[in-house]
Amino acid sequence: MTTTTSRPRLSARRRASGIRRGEAASGWIFTAPMLILLGLFLVIPVLMALWVSVSDWNGNGSPLSSNVHFTGTTNYQALLTGGGLAEQDFGTSLRNNAWYVVLVVPLQTALALFLAVLVNRQILRGRGFFRTAFYFPSVTSSVAITVLWLFLFNASGAVNAVLAWFGVNGPNWFSEPSGIIHDLLAAFGITTGPPALTDNTLLGVSYWDWLGGPSVAMSAFIVMAIFTTSGTFMLVFIAALQNLSIEVSEAAMVDGANGWQRFWRVTLPQLRPTLFTVLTLGLIGGWQIFDQIYTGTQGGPAKTTLSPAYLSYQAAFTNQQWGQGAAIAFILFVIIIVFTLFQRWVLRDRPVSKRRMRLYQVAQPKESGK
């Protein structure tokens, strides 16, 4: 009896395993074209770029030829500990880009969320028009927007003309290399920093210059980035808001929560996955700023708009230092990964603290007594 029942079970298991093997084979067949394309146009170029970053390839011939030699971390050392112009330029580009990211990512995220909440309201008339208007700068060519920005922020442009109405003499934006924090301190008579900041350096740039803030020219690019990218992230937030549970918000309203409390305590926690996506995309885009710099200032004035992405292009294609250009790209890749992991750690789901748990335990008997 046991033998007769075990045979059908074995045959059924064999048929199931055969079906699974057939499904796995079909899945590999369907994904094979995309895997081949990714391997040819993504994996192999990345590996070749990694080899270029640790070799002495000069741009002539194939990087895999016998004339190209392994140099180890020479290119990375020149950028991080070389003590020369390469290290100073790389430190300057990191300083510029760091201030760009610090200001652009939070401001564009906050503005995108504000616009999403605004146009998602049912009582707002013409919501479709406002969504299109807010999103339109995102679909416009970044080169066209940069050229427009050069005209608007010119010394005699529209921005300075508007500032003149309020009695403010606007600067020559894209020709002003001073940092905005240094300019603010200079208004109070502070023009030089303490020796602890001016005498010590990081990547060839003094601590005083690291804390100088973005230059006036970079500030114009920061405003442009917020203007052009907030519309894209607004749509992401709108999609997330429309998928939220209405019952939770209605329950909070019944409990007496006002509009701000419902947004801060109910809506925003539910948007945490979307917030992580928006911040990550903004972080990646912020560290990869290139086309605005290439079209607008090409790193000037005085290298205060120089970014690592543009410096990588300049080192490789202009100065023919292909190893350093590839090394900059991989250092930038590591920076993005580190910041993304830190951001994920900050936005992770945390367990309820013991203090709040005690408050809940105290509140439950009171509710049950009522």
Side-chain angles (χ1 to χ4, degrees), residues 4-24:
T4 58
T5 56
S6 61
R7 287 179 179 176
R9 291 179 181 176
L10 291 175
S11 61
R13 291 177 182 174
R14 290 173 181 173
R15 287 196 300 268
S17 62
I19 292 173
R20 292 192 187 97
R21 286 195 297 268
E23 291 177 349

Side-chain angles (χ1 to χ4, degrees), residues 234-255:
M234 176 197 69
L235 294 184
V236 179
F237 280 122
I238 289 176
L241 288 171
Q242 293 178 349
N243 289 327
L244 295 183
S245 175
I246 304 177
E247 289 78 8
V248 180
S249 180
E250 292 178 348
M253 188 183 301
V254 172
D255 290 339

